[in-house]
Amino acid sequence: MTHTGWSVFSFDGIGTRWEISTPEELPEGVRASLLGVVEDYDRSYSRFRGDSLLATLAREAGTVTLPAGANELGVLFRKLYRLSDGAMTPLIGGSLERLGYGADYSLTPLGNPIPAPRWEDVLEWNGTEISASAPVVLDIGAAGKGQLVDLAAAVLHSAGITEFLVDASGDMLHSGAEPLGVALEHPYDPTQAIGVVELHDGALCASAANRRAWGDGLHHVLDGATGCPIETVVATWTMAATAMEADALATALFMVDPTVLEGEFDFSWLKVYSDGHAAYSAGFEGTLFS
């Protein structure tokens, strides 16, 4: 999804495909900086590589110090943990592994779903420091990809580039004078769209149960309180000022009533339920196809 005639810098990072579109080809130094930011983030937060900082907490209790952005990430997760009554939690990693979505990508469940540990029982997240009183598998994917999109945008801005689209497989941040029309992928058929939205100087993120599904009823959006995949919602889209918030809120919409989230966040949204009906906010300025 890009402006016609723009240059596209494509690469793989944190397990997903990235496309950064700009009017002119990116200088080699900017490309290197972008790749470095993505690699640093993966080395800090990934639960799929044994040398990451968070992977050390999966092996033993202790404390790790993360990069500066960890503070904002922790504050956001803590707020959504509270608003969701524990359903949305960075402690969901062990529950995902239990259902087969672990570092080995076995996609074979190890047993019945298990709830995530309660934050207040095992985790302290103060600024850039995370301490765990027992081994825990942390998964910050619900907001992490969005935060990394924001960090990539910061690299571009620091290089004096003001017109761009950062697209990390559907988590997008746009900057520029001209808005961009973005198709909303059908949750059951990636070749079809259910609508179109205009993205202009902001972020658009999506979450869909079909994006990472590997068995009957098994997908990556779990209720932390039960460890079970959520069945009532199939897809969400959110628009916000930052990709980190849009990304996190797209997941939160699976678990929290939109009016609760609107009380504490400035965003617009679209939510598609498993029975086929859709709901959306007044500010979600798009066109839904019938």
Side-chain angles (χ1 to χ4, degrees):
M1 189 69 61
T2 184
H3 288 285
T4 303
W6 278 23
S7 175
V8 181
F9 175 44
S10 302
F11 59 91
D12 292 317
I14 66 164
T16 200
R17 187 67 176 168
W18 292 70
E19 292 187 350
I20 298 180
S21 306
T22 48
E24 306 293 334
E25 188 171 322
L26 289 174
E28 192 59 40
V30 175
R31 293 184 178 214
S33 294
L34 288 165
L35 295 175
V37 164
V38 173
E39 169 59 23
D40 288 347
Y41 200 90
D42 199 45
R43 192 165 53 242
S44 297
Y45 294 103
S46 178
R47 70 176 175 90
F48 296 101
R49 50 188 288 179
D51 63 343
S52 78
L53 292 175
L54 289 190
T56 63
L57 294 180
R59 292 189 288 270
E60 59 184 1
T63 301
V64 296
T65 301
L66 293 161
N71 181 50
E72 291 79 12
L73 195 62
V75 169
L76 179 58
F77 265 112
R78 186 75 203 195
K79 182 184 287 190
L80 291 170
Y81 181 80
R82 171 176 56 83
L83 294 176
S84 67
D85 293 325
M88 182 167 169
T89 171
L91 290 153
I92 200 65
S95 303
L96 286 163
E97 289 189 345
R98 175 80 169 181
L99 295 183
Y101 192 34
D104 60 357
Y105 293 101
S106 74
L107 306 183
T108 302
L110 304 175
N112 293 326
I114 55 171
R118 297 197 315 160
W119 188 313
E120 52 270 34
D121 290 343
V122 296
L123 195 67
E124 289 188 22
W125 192 330
N126 299 310
T128 59
E129 281 197 355
I130 295 183
S131 298
S133 60
V136 291
V137 182
L138 294 173
D139 186 301
I140 55 90
K145 187 166 71 165
Q147 184 179 44
L148 187 50
V149 168
D150 292 333
L151 292 172
V155 170
L156 297 172
H157 279 300
S158 67
I161 299 166
T162 58
E163 287 195 84
F164 58 79
L165 176 72
V166 180
D167 181 358
S169 295
D171 284 4
M172 302 181 184
L173 184 67
H174 174 267
S175 174
E178 295 296 323
L180 178 66
V182 179
L184 306 176
E185 182 182 299
H186 194 294
Y188 295 122
D189 184 357
T191 66
Q192 301 291 321
I194 65 167
V196 176
V197 68
E198 272 204 347
L199 180 60
H200 186 208
D201 273 334
L204 170 68
C205 291
S207 184
N210 69 314
R211 271 301 179 97
R212 296 186 191 91
W214 59 93
D216 188 21
L218 296 177
H219 61 77
H220 72 293
V221 187
L222 309 186
D223 180 336
T226 64
C228 296
I230 294 171
E231 298 178 349
T232 52
V233 180
V234 294
T236 60
W237 289 264
T238 54
M239 300 180 76
T242 69
M244 182 176 74
E245 277 203 358
D247 191 15
L249 291 167
T251 298
L253 279 173
F254 275 73
M255 312 159 195
V256 185
D257 186 280
T259 57
V260 173
L261 297 172
E262 287 175 325
E264 301 207 28
F265 294 94
D266 182 14
F267 77 114
S268 57
W269 55 271
L270 166 65
K271 186 172 180 176
V272 178
Y273 294 84
S274 52
D275 65 5
H277 85 278
Y280 51 92
S281 67
F284 196 86
E285 297 178 358
T287 302
L288 287 183
F289 306 144
S290 58

